[in-house]
Amino acid sequence: MKNLLLLLVVLTSPFVSCTSESIDNAKILDDGLIENKSKKTAKLLQNLNPENPANVYDIAGKIHNDILDVYLSGNYSYNTIAQISQKVDSIAALNSDLLNMGTSLPCNFQEIQETVNDPQIKLEQAIANSLMTNAAKISLSNFMDSILLLETNEYAVIHQSIISFEASVISNTQFSNEDKRIILTTSSIVRHSTYYAKERKDKDWETSVGNRVGAVQGALENSSTAVNKSVVTGIIVQSQAE
């Protein structure tokens, strides 16, 4: 009997050893796959940028971030709309890309303050009073509402959503060329400014409704004014929140 038990132990040991080894190897393999997937995802996010070459007005968002970057790097202590607007104008005057987009109209200080105080009302007024087609007004209004719902997501999700929206605008035959310019200029600034806040994690900057409304208000004039007004309104929101 003892010999039989001994024989069974000897015969089953290799199988136990093999099974244990297989489990260990499977775990190592799974861990390796997870690690590689994490590295791949991290690399993907690292390479993600806010650009959308399909949007012909994409330069507006890039210029917005360039001007904002110069301003925030200066650590200025301005806190009035006039002071901030003047400084932004001086920075913008050195940006050749912005100059190529046309002349930016002077900021209406009272309108900016009203936008900071009640951005949603000013947004609705700007869109309603614009010369855009009704279909374009609805599209832009829905886009601005959707950003409010998306802003807590990772930037990759926001970026993809805006890219998809822009594709639908570009292909929409109901929109006039001016409709598309206004909407695509606005969406570019929203996409780039959100990237600035989320991916750069700049402690001195967060995107705001006021910043986006400023983009819409300015875009109704021209793309250059959209950049300028968005930057100024965004900085005012930050300065008054401190």
Side-chain angles (χ1 to χ4, degrees):
M1 186 65 178
K2 288 182 180 179
N3 290 338
L4 179 59
L5 289 173
L6 182 61
L7 179 61
L8 287 172
V9 170
V10 172
L11 288 174
T12 56
S13 292
F15 292 101
V16 172
S17 177
C18 260
T19 305
S20 176
E21 185 178 352
S22 297
I23 292 172
D24 288 343
N25 286 340
K27 185 177 185 305
I28 291 170
L29 183 61
D30 286 343
D31 289 345
L33 288 173
I34 292 170
E35 185 180 356
N36 287 337
K37 186 176 180 181
S38 298
K39 287 179 179 178
K40 186 176 180 182
T41 303
K43 186 177 180 182
L44 219 91
L45 291 174
Q46 186 179 6
N47 293 335
L48 181 65
N49 63 59
E51 297 172 6
N52 179 17
N55 183 343
V56 295
Y57 300 100
D58 198 50
I59 188 67
K62 178 184 181 301
I63 297 170
H64 171 282
N65 284 10
D66 288 344
I67 293 174
L68 179 62
D69 204 35
V70 173
Y71 184 94
L72 293 181
S73 297
N75 294 313
Y76 303 112
S77 56
Y78 305 129
N79 52 24
T80 70
I81 298 175
Q83 290 173 327
I84 292 171
S85 179
Q86 184 177 12
K87 189 60 189 179
V88 170
D89 284 345
S90 67
I91 294 171
L94 300 176
N95 191 299
S96 58
D97 288 330
L98 183 66
L99 297 177
N100 291 334
M101 290 177 67
T103 304
S104 176
L105 300 181
C107 285
N108 182 322
F109 298 161
Q110 181 179 344
E111 185 180 48
I112 289 178
Q113 187 59 62
E114 289 173 355
T115 299
V116 172
N117 294 341
D118 200 339
Q120 191 60 38
I121 290 294
K122 296 302 290 185
L123 173 65
E124 292 171 3
Q125 290 176 349
I127 295 176
N129 297 331
S130 73
L131 298 178
M132 300 171 71
T133 62
N134 286 332
K137 288 180 181 180
I138 293 170
S139 177
L140 180 54
S141 181
N142 288 342
F143 168 70
M144 297 296 281
D145 288 342
S146 71
I147 293 301
L148 287 174
L149 299 175
L150 282 170
E151 59 187 0
T152 57
N153 286 282
E154 294 294 326
Y155 180 72
V157 175
I158 299 172
H159 181 269
Q160 185 55 53
S161 178
I162 296 177
I163 293 291
S164 298
F165 168 73
E166 289 174 329
S168 71
V169 171
I170 293 168
S171 63
N172 194 313
T173 56
Q174 296 182 55
F175 295 166
S176 68
N177 289 336
E178 184 65 357
D179 288 339
K180 292 183 179 182
R181 182 195 64 76
I182 293 168
I183 296 175
L184 294 174
T185 297
T186 300
S187 62
S188 171
I189 293 174
V190 171
R191 181 163 30 80
H192 281 263
S193 63
T194 303
Y195 174 84
Y196 193 99
K198 281 186 171 289
E199 294 304 295
R200 293 186 54 141
K201 297 179 177 61
D202 195 305
K203 63 183 177 62
D204 294 322
W205 180 259
E206 292 180 3
T207 53
S208 65
V209 178
N211 162 254
R212 298 193 286 266
V213 176
V216 173
Q217 293 169 329
L220 293 173
E221 300 294 342
N222 59 52
S223 296
S224 179
T225 303
V227 173
N228 227 41
K229 197 163 187 178
S230 180
V231 173
V232 172
T233 306
I235 294 172
I236 288 294
V237 170
Q238 301 299 315
S239 67
Q240 294 190 1
E242 293 175 354

